Coordinates of all heavy atoms in Angstrom, one line a residue:
M6 N -67.1 5.0 51.3 CA -65.7 4.7 51.7 C -65.2 5.5 52.8 O -65.0 6.8 52.6 CB -64.9 4.8 50.5 CG -63.4 4.4 50.7 SD -62.7 4.0 49.2 CE -63.5 2.6 48.6
P7 N -64.9 5.0 53.9 CA -64.5 5.8 55.2 C -63.0 6.3 55.0 O -62.2 5.8 54.3 CB -64.6 4.8 56.3 CG -64.4 3.6 55.7 CD -65.0 3.6 54.3
Y8 N -62.8 7.3 55.8 CA -61.4 7.8 56.1 C -60.8 7.0 57.2 O -61.4 6.3 58.0 CB -61.4 9.3 56.4 CG -61.6 10.1 55.2 CD1 -62.8 10.2 54.4 CD2 -60.6 11.0 54.8 CE1 -63.0 10.9 53.4 CE2 -60.7 11.7 53.6 CZ -61.9 11.8 53.0 OH -62.0 12.6 51.9
V9 N -59.5 6.9 57.1 CA -58.6 6.0 58.0 C -57.5 6.8 58.5 O -56.9 7.7 57.8 CB -57.9 4.9 57.1 CG1 -57.1 3.9 58.0 CG2 -59.1 4.0 56.5
I10 N -57.2 6.6 59.8 CA -56.1 7.3 60.5 C -54.9 6.3 60.6 O -55.0 5.2 61.0 CB -56.5 7.7 61.9 CG1 -57.6 8.7 61.8 CG2 -55.2 8.3 62.5 CD1 -58.1 9.2 63.2
C11 N -53.8 6.7 60.0 CA -52.6 5.8 59.8 C -51.5 6.2 60.8 O -51.7 7.0 61.8 CB -52.0 6.0 58.3 SG -53.4 5.4 57.2
E12 N -50.4 5.5 60.7 CA -49.3 5.6 61.6 C -48.8 7.0 62.1 O -48.4 7.0 63.3 CB -48.0 4.8 60.9 CG -46.9 4.6 61.9 CD -45.8 3.7 61.3 OE1 -45.3 4.1 60.2 OE2 -45.6 2.7 61.8
P13 N -48.8 8.0 61.3 CA -48.3 9.2 61.8 C -48.9 9.7 63.1 O -48.5 10.5 63.8 CB -48.5 10.2 60.7 CG -48.4 9.3 59.5 CD -49.1 8.1 59.8
C14 N -50.2 9.2 63.3 CA -51.0 9.7 64.5 C -50.3 9.1 65.8 O -50.5 9.6 66.9 CB -52.5 9.2 64.4 SG -53.6 9.8 65.8
I15 N -49.7 8.0 65.7 CA -49.2 7.3 66.9 C -48.3 8.2 67.6 O -47.3 8.7 67.1 CB -48.5 6.0 66.5 CG1 -49.4 5.0 65.9 CG2 -47.8 5.4 67.7 CD1 -48.8 3.8 65.3
G16 N -48.7 8.3 69.0 CA -47.8 9.3 69.9 C -48.1 10.7 69.7 O -47.6 11.6 70.4
V17 N -49.0 11.1 68.7 CA -49.3 12.5 68.4 C -50.7 12.8 68.9 O -50.9 13.7 69.8 CB -49.2 12.9 66.9 CG1 -49.5 14.4 66.8 CG2 -47.8 12.5 66.4
K18 N -51.7 12.1 68.4 CA -53.0 12.4 68.8 C -53.4 13.9 69.0 O -53.9 14.3 70.1 CB -53.4 11.6 70.1 CG -53.2 10.1 69.9 CD -53.7 9.3 71.0 CE -53.0 9.5 72.4 NZ -53.5 8.6 73.5
D19 N -53.2 14.6 68.0 CA -53.5 16.0 68.1 C -54.9 16.4 68.3 O -55.2 17.4 69.0 CB -53.0 16.6 66.8 CG -53.3 18.2 66.7 OD1 -52.4 18.8 67.2 OD2 -54.3 18.6 66.1
K20 N -55.8 15.6 67.7 CA -57.2 15.7 68.0 C -57.8 16.9 67.3 O -59.1 17.2 67.5 CB -57.6 15.8 69.5 CG -57.3 14.4 70.1 CD -57.8 14.5 71.6 CE -57.4 13.1 72.4 NZ -57.6 13.3 73.8
S21 N -57.2 17.6 66.4 CA -57.9 18.6 65.6 C -58.8 18.0 64.7 O -59.9 18.6 64.5 CB -56.7 19.3 64.6 OG -55.7 19.9 65.3
C22 N -58.7 16.7 64.3 CA -59.8 16.1 63.5 C -61.0 15.8 64.3 O -62.1 16.0 63.8 CB -59.1 14.7 63.0 SG -58.7 13.6 64.4
V23 N -60.8 15.5 65.6 CA -62.1 15.3 66.5 C -63.0 16.5 66.5 O -64.2 16.4 66.4 CB -61.6 14.9 67.9 CG1 -62.9 14.7 68.8 CG2 -60.8 13.6 67.8
A24 N -62.3 17.6 66.6 CA -63.0 19.0 66.7 C -63.8 19.3 65.4 O -64.9 20.0 65.7 CB -62.1 20.1 67.0
V25 N -63.4 18.8 64.2 CA -64.2 19.1 63.1 C -65.1 18.0 62.6 O -66.0 18.3 61.8 CB -63.3 19.5 61.9 CG1 -62.4 20.7 62.3 CG2 -62.4 18.4 61.5
C26 N -65.1 16.9 63.1 CA -65.9 15.8 62.6 C -67.3 16.0 63.0 O -67.7 16.1 64.2 CB -65.4 14.4 63.2 SG -66.4 13.1 62.6
P27 N -68.2 16.2 61.9 CA -69.6 16.4 62.1 C -70.5 15.4 62.8 O -71.5 15.5 63.3 CB -70.2 16.9 60.8 CG -69.3 16.0 59.9 CD -67.9 16.0 60.4
V28 N -69.9 14.1 62.7 CA -70.7 12.9 63.2 C -70.0 12.3 64.5 O -70.4 11.3 65.0 CB -71.0 11.8 62.2 CG1 -71.9 12.5 61.1 CG2 -69.7 11.4 61.5
D29 N -69.0 13.0 64.9 CA -68.3 12.5 66.2 C -67.9 11.0 66.1 O -68.2 10.2 67.0 CB -69.2 12.7 67.4 CG -68.4 12.6 68.7 OD1 -67.2 12.7 68.8 OD2 -69.1 12.3 69.7
C30 N -67.2 10.7 64.9 CA -66.8 9.3 64.8 C -65.4 9.0 65.0 O -64.9 7.9 64.6 CB -67.4 8.8 63.5 SG -66.5 9.4 62.1
I31 N -64.6 9.9 65.6 CA -63.2 9.8 65.8 C -63.0 9.7 67.3 O -63.3 10.6 68.0 CB -62.3 10.9 65.2 CG1 -62.7 11.1 63.7 CG2 -60.8 10.6 65.4 CD1 -62.0 12.3 63.1
H32 N -62.4 8.5 67.7 CA -62.2 8.2 69.0 C -60.9 7.7 69.4 O -60.2 7.2 68.5 CB -63.4 7.3 69.6 CG -64.7 7.9 69.4 ND1 -65.5 7.4 68.4 CD2 -65.3 8.8 70.2 CE1 -66.7 8.2 68.5 NE2 -66.6 8.9 69.5
G33 N -60.5 7.7 70.7 CA -59.4 7.2 71.2 C -59.2 7.6 72.8 O -59.4 8.8 73.0
T34 N -58.8 6.8 73.6 CA -58.6 7.0 75.0 C -57.2 7.5 75.2 O -56.3 7.4 74.4 CB -58.9 5.9 75.8 OG1 -58.0 4.9 75.7 CG2 -60.3 5.3 75.6
D35 N -56.9 8.0 76.4 CA -55.6 8.4 76.8 C -54.6 7.3 76.7 O -53.4 7.4 76.4 CB -55.7 9.1 78.2 CG -56.2 10.5 78.3 OD1 -56.4 11.0 77.2 OD2 -56.4 10.9 79.4
D36 N -55.2 6.0 76.9 CA -54.2 4.9 76.9 C -54.0 4.3 75.5 O -53.1 3.5 75.3 CB -54.9 3.8 77.7 CG -54.8 4.0 79.2 OD1 -54.0 4.8 79.6 OD2 -55.7 3.5 80.0
D37 N -54.8 4.8 74.6 CA -54.5 4.4 73.1 C -53.4 5.0 72.5 O -53.2 6.3 72.8 CB -55.9 4.6 72.3 CG -57.0 3.7 72.8 OD1 -56.9 2.5 73.1 OD2 -58.2 4.3 72.7
T38 N -52.7 4.4 71.6 CA -51.5 5.0 70.9 C -52.0 6.0 69.9 O -51.1 6.8 69.5 CB -50.7 3.9 70.4 OG1 -51.5 3.1 69.5 CG2 -50.1 3.0 71.4
Q39 N -53.1 5.9 69.4 CA -53.5 6.8 68.3 C -55.0 6.9 68.4 O -55.7 6.4 69.2 CB -53.2 6.1 66.9 CG -53.9 4.9 66.5 CD -53.9 4.5 65.0 OE1 -53.0 3.8 64.7 NE2 -54.7 5.0 64.3
L40 N -55.5 7.7 67.4 CA -57.0 7.9 67.3 C -57.5 7.0 66.2 O -56.7 6.7 65.3 CB -57.4 9.4 67.0 CG -56.8 10.4 68.1 CD1 -57.2 11.8 67.5 CD2 -57.5 10.1 69.4
Y41 N -58.8 6.7 66.2 CA -59.4 5.7 65.2 C -60.7 6.3 64.6 O -61.5 7.0 65.4 CB -59.6 4.4 65.9 CG -58.4 3.8 66.6 CD1 -58.2 4.2 67.9 CD2 -57.6 3.0 66.0 CE1 -57.1 3.6 68.5 CE2 -56.4 2.4 66.6 CZ -56.3 2.8 67.9 OH -55.2 2.4 68.6
I42 N -60.9 6.1 63.3 CA -62.2 6.6 62.8 C -63.2 5.3 62.6 O -62.8 4.2 62.2 CB -62.0 7.1 61.4 CG1 -61.3 8.4 61.5 CG2 -63.3 7.3 60.6 CD1 -60.8 9.1 60.2
D43 N -64.4 5.5 63.2 CA -65.4 4.4 63.0 C -65.8 4.3 61.6 O -66.6 5.3 61.1 CB -66.5 4.7 64.0 CG -67.5 3.5 64.0 OD1 -67.5 2.7 63.1 OD2 -68.2 3.5 65.1
P44 N -65.5 3.2 60.9 CA -65.9 3.1 59.5 C -67.4 3.0 59.2 O -67.8 3.3 58.1 CB -65.1 1.9 59.0 CG -64.9 1.1 60.3 CD -64.7 2.0 61.4
S45 N -68.2 2.7 60.2 CA -69.6 2.5 60.0 C -70.3 3.8 60.3 O -71.5 3.9 60.0 CB -70.1 1.4 61.0 OG -70.0 1.7 62.3
E46 N -69.6 4.8 60.8 CA -70.2 6.1 61.1 C -69.6 7.3 60.3 O -70.4 8.2 60.0 CB -69.9 6.4 62.6 CG -70.5 5.6 63.7 CD -72.0 5.6 63.7 OE1 -72.6 6.7 63.5 OE2 -72.7 4.6 63.9
C47 N -68.5 7.1 59.8 CA -67.8 8.2 58.9 C -68.7 8.4 57.7 O -69.2 7.5 57.0 CB -66.5 7.6 58.5 SG -65.7 8.7 57.3
I48 N -69.0 9.6 57.5 CA -69.8 10.0 56.3 C -69.0 10.6 55.1 O -69.5 11.2 54.2 CB -71.0 11.1 56.6 CG1 -70.2 12.3 57.2 CG2 -72.0 10.5 57.6 CD1 -71.2 13.5 57.5
D49 N -67.7 10.3 55.2 CA -66.7 10.6 54.1 C -66.7 12.1 53.7 O -66.6 12.4 52.6 CB -67.1 9.8 52.8 CG -67.4 8.4 53.2 OD1 -66.9 7.8 54.2 OD2 -68.1 7.7 52.4
C50 N -66.9 13.0 54.6 CA -67.0 14.4 54.3 C -65.7 15.0 54.0 O -65.5 16.0 53.4 CB -67.7 15.1 55.5 SG -66.6 15.3 57.0
G51 N -64.6 14.4 54.5 CA -63.3 14.8 54.2 C -62.7 16.0 55.2 O -61.7 16.5 54.9
L52 N -63.6 16.5 56.2 CA -63.2 17.6 56.8 C -62.0 17.5 57.7 O -61.1 18.3 58.0 CB -64.4 18.1 57.7 CG -65.6 18.8 57.0 CD1 -66.7 19.1 57.9 CD2 -65.0 20.1 56.5
C53 N -61.9 16.2 58.2 CA -60.7 15.8 59.1 C -59.4 15.9 58.4 O -58.3 16.2 59.0 CB -60.9 14.6 59.8 SG -61.2 13.2 58.6
E54 N -59.3 15.4 57.1 CA -58.1 15.2 56.5 C -57.0 16.4 56.5 O -56.0 16.3 56.9 CB -58.3 14.8 55.1 CG -57.0 14.4 54.3 CD -57.4 14.0 52.9 OE1 -58.5 14.0 52.5 OE2 -56.4 13.6 52.1
P55 N -57.6 17.7 56.1 CA -56.6 18.8 56.1 C -56.3 19.3 57.5 O -55.4 20.2 57.7 CB -57.3 19.8 55.4 CG -58.9 19.5 55.4 CD -58.9 18.0 55.5
E56 N -57.0 18.9 58.5 CA -56.8 19.4 59.9 C -55.6 18.7 60.6 O -55.0 19.2 61.4 CB -58.1 19.1 60.8 CG -59.3 20.0 60.3 CD -59.0 21.5 60.3 OE1 -58.4 21.9 61.2 OE2 -59.5 22.1 59.4
C57 N -55.3 17.4 60.1 CA -54.2 16.6 60.8 C -52.9 17.3 60.5 O -52.4 17.4 59.3 CB -54.4 15.3 60.2 SG -53.0 14.3 61.1
P58 N -52.1 17.6 61.6 CA -50.9 18.3 61.4 C -49.7 17.3 61.0 O -48.6 17.8 60.5 CB -50.7 18.8 62.8 CG -51.3 17.9 63.7 CD -52.5 17.5 62.9
V59 N -50.1 16.1 61.1 CA -49.0 15.0 60.6 C -49.5 14.2 59.5 O -48.8 13.1 59.1 CB -48.6 14.1 61.8 CG1 -47.9 14.9 62.9 CG2 -49.8 13.4 62.3
D60 N -50.5 14.7 58.8 CA -51.0 14.0 57.5 C -51.2 12.5 57.7 O -50.7 11.7 57.0 CB -50.1 14.2 56.4 CG -50.0 15.6 55.9 OD1 -51.0 16.4 56.1 OD2 -49.0 16.2 55.4
A61 N -51.9 12.2 58.8 CA -52.1 10.8 59.1 C -53.5 10.3 58.5 O -53.8 9.1 58.6 CB -52.2 10.6 60.6
I62 N -54.3 11.1 57.9 CA -55.7 10.8 57.6 C -55.8 10.6 56.0 O -55.5 11.5 55.3 CB -56.7 11.8 58.1 CG1 -56.5 11.9 59.6 CG2 -58.1 11.2 57.8 CD1 -57.5 12.8 60.3
F63 N -56.3 9.5 55.5 CA -56.5 9.3 54.1 C -57.8 8.6 53.9 O -58.3 7.9 54.8 CB -55.5 8.3 53.6 CG -54.0 8.8 53.9 CD1 -53.3 8.6 55.0 CD2 -53.4 9.5 52.8 CE1 -52.0 9.0 55.2 CE2 -52.1 10.0 53.0 CZ -51.5 9.7 54.2
M64 N -58.4 8.9 52.7 CA -59.6 8.2 52.3 C -59.2 6.7 52.1 O -58.0 6.4 51.8 CB -60.2 8.7 51.0 CG -61.6 8.3 50.8 SD -62.3 8.6 49.1 CE -61.5 10.1 48.6
E65 N -60.1 5.8 52.4 CA -59.6 4.4 52.4 C -58.9 3.9 51.2 O -57.9 3.2 51.2 CB -60.9 3.5 52.5 CG -60.5 2.0 52.8 CD -61.8 1.2 53.1 OE1 -62.3 1.4 54.1 OE2 -62.0 0.3 52.4
D66 N -59.4 4.3 50.0 CA -58.7 3.9 48.7 C -57.5 4.7 48.4 O -56.9 4.5 47.4 CB -59.8 3.9 47.6 CG -60.2 5.2 47.1 OD1 -59.8 6.2 47.8 OD2 -60.9 5.2 46.1
E67 N -57.1 5.7 49.3 CA -55.9 6.4 49.0 C -54.8 6.1 50.1 O -53.8 6.9 50.2 CB -56.2 7.9 48.9 CG -57.0 8.2 47.6 CD -57.5 9.7 47.6 OE1 -57.3 10.4 48.7 OE2 -58.0 10.1 46.6
V68 N -55.1 5.2 51.0 CA -54.2 4.8 52.0 C -52.8 4.3 51.4 O -53.0 3.4 50.5 CB -54.8 3.8 53.0 CG1 -53.6 3.3 54.0 CG2 -55.9 4.4 53.8
P69 N -51.7 4.8 51.8 CA -50.5 4.4 51.2 C -50.3 2.9 51.5 O -50.7 2.4 52.5 CB -49.4 5.3 51.9 CG -50.1 6.5 52.3 CD -51.5 6.1 52.7
E70 N -49.6 2.2 50.5 CA -49.3 0.8 50.6 C -48.8 0.4 52.0 O -49.3 -0.7 52.6 CB -48.4 0.3 49.5 CG -48.4 -1.1 49.3 CD -49.7 -1.7 48.8 OE1 -50.4 -1.0 48.0 OE2 -50.0 -2.8 49.3
K71 N -47.8 1.1 52.5 CA -47.2 0.8 53.7 C -48.0 0.8 55.0 O -47.7 0.3 56.0 CB -45.9 1.7 54.0 CG -46.3 3.1 54.0 CD -44.9 4.0 54.2 CE -45.3 5.5 54.0 NZ -44.1 6.3 54.1
W72 N -49.2 1.5 54.8 CA -50.1 1.6 55.9 C -51.5 1.0 55.6 O -52.5 1.2 56.3 CB -50.4 3.1 56.2 CG -49.1 3.8 56.8 CD1 -48.0 3.3 57.4 CD2 -48.7 5.2 56.5 NE1 -47.1 4.2 57.7 CE2 -47.4 5.3 57.2 CE3 -49.3 6.3 55.9 CZ2 -46.8 6.6 57.2 CZ3 -48.7 7.5 55.9 CH2 -47.5 7.7 56.6
Q73 N -51.6 0.1 54.7 CA -52.9 -0.6 54.4 C -53.5 -1.3 55.7 O -54.6 -1.4 55.8 CB -52.6 -1.6 53.3 CG -52.4 -1.0 51.9 CD -53.7 -0.5 51.3 OE1 -54.8 -1.3 51.4 NE2 -53.7 0.7 50.9
N74 N -52.6 -1.8 56.5 CA -53.0 -2.5 57.8 C -53.8 -1.6 58.7 O -54.6 -2.1 59.5 CB -51.9 -3.1 58.4 CG -50.8 -2.1 58.9 OD1 -50.4 -1.2 58.2 ND2 -50.2 -2.3 60.1
F75 N -53.6 -0.3 58.6 CA -54.5 0.6 59.3 C -56.0 0.7 59.0 O -56.7 1.1 59.9 CB -53.8 2.1 59.3 CG -52.6 2.1 60.3 CD1 -51.3 1.7 59.7 CD2 -52.6 2.6 61.6 CE1 -50.2 1.7 60.5 CE2 -51.6 2.6 62.3 CZ -50.3 2.1 61.8
I76 N -56.3 0.2 57.9 CA -57.7 0.2 57.4 C -58.3 -0.8 58.5 O -59.4 -0.6 59.1 CB -57.9 -0.3 56.1 CG1 -57.3 0.7 55.1 CG2 -59.4 -0.6 55.7 CD1 -57.2 0.2 53.7
Q77 N -57.7 -2.0 58.7 CA -58.3 -3.0 59.6 C -58.1 -2.6 61.0 O -59.1 -2.8 61.9 CB -57.5 -4.3 59.4 CG -58.2 -5.5 60.0 CD -59.7 -5.7 59.5 OE1 -59.7 -5.9 58.2 NE2 -60.6 -5.8 60.3
I78 N -57.0 -1.9 61.3 CA -56.8 -1.4 62.7 C -57.8 -0.4 63.1 O -58.3 -0.5 64.3 CB -55.4 -0.8 62.8 CG1 -54.3 -1.8 62.7 CG2 -55.3 0.1 64.2 CD1 -52.9 -1.2 62.6
N79 N -58.2 0.5 62.4 CA -59.3 1.5 62.6 C -60.6 0.7 62.8 O -61.3 1.0 63.8 CB -59.4 2.5 61.5 CG -58.5 3.7 61.7 OD1 -58.8 4.9 61.9 ND2 -57.2 3.3 61.5
A80 N -60.9 -0.2 61.9 CA -62.2 -1.0 62.0 C -62.2 -1.8 63.2 O -63.3 -1.8 64.0 CB -62.4 -1.8 60.7
D81 N -61.1 -2.5 63.6 CA -61.2 -3.4 64.6 C -61.3 -2.7 66.1 O -61.9 -3.2 67.1 CB -59.8 -4.1 64.7 CG -59.6 -5.2 63.7 OD1 -60.7 -5.5 63.1 OD2 -58.5 -5.7 63.5
Y82 N -60.9 -1.4 66.1 CA -61.1 -0.7 67.3 C -62.5 -0.7 67.7 O -62.8 -0.6 68.9 CB -60.6 0.7 67.1 CG -60.6 1.6 68.4 CD1 -59.6 1.4 69.4 CD2 -61.5 2.5 68.5 CE1 -59.6 2.2 70.6 CE2 -61.5 3.4 69.7 CZ -60.7 3.2 70.7 OH -60.6 3.9 71.8
Y83 N -63.4 -0.6 66.8 CA -64.8 -0.5 67.1 C -65.6 -1.8 67.2 O -66.8 -1.9 67.3 CB -65.5 0.4 66.0 CG -65.0 1.8 66.2 CD1 -64.0 2.2 65.3 CD2 -65.5 2.7 67.1 CE1 -63.4 3.5 65.5 CE2 -64.9 3.9 67.3 CZ -63.9 4.3 66.4 OH -63.5 5.7 66.5
K84 N -64.8 -2.9 67.2 CA -65.4 -4.2 67.3 C -65.1 -4.7 68.8 O -65.6 -5.7 69.1 CB -64.8 -5.3 66.5 CG -65.1 -5.0 64.9 CD -64.3 -6.1 64.0 CE -64.7 -5.7 62.6 NZ -63.6 -6.4 61.7
K85 N -64.5 -3.9 69.6 CA -64.2 -4.3 71.0 C -65.4 -4.3 71.8 O -66.3 -3.6 71.5 CB -63.2 -3.4 71.6 CG -61.7 -3.6 71.1 CD -60.9 -2.5 71.7 CE -59.5 -2.4 71.2 NZ -58.7 -1.3 71.6
Ligands
SF4_9 FE1 -65.6 12.5 60.6 FE2 -65.8 13.5 58.0 FE3 -63.4 12.7 58.9 FE4 -65.3 10.9 58.4 S1 -64.3 12.2 56.8 S2 -64.0 10.9 60.2 S3 -67.1 12.0 59.0 S4 -64.5 14.4 59.7

C-alpha cells in the first residue's frame, strides 16, 4: 500500500521527502503544483511521512476523507 501526497503540498513542494526516499519515487517538475509518489515504485518504508513540514503525506489507507481524490491524482501523474 503506497504513500500518497495530498493537498497541503500544493504550492509548497518542500522536497524534504524527495531527499529521504530510498527508491527515488517522488517526483514533480517546476511547473507542477505539487509532488507525487509513484504507487508502483513506493516500497511503503514511511521515511517521507515525518519529513513533510506541512503533513501532506499519508499511507493510502490513512488518507483523510477530504483528500481521497489525491490517491488517484498521484497514480495518474505516472500514467502520462
Ligand atoms: Fe519513498 Fe518510502 Fe515515501 Fe514510499 S514511503 S515515497 S518509498 S520514502
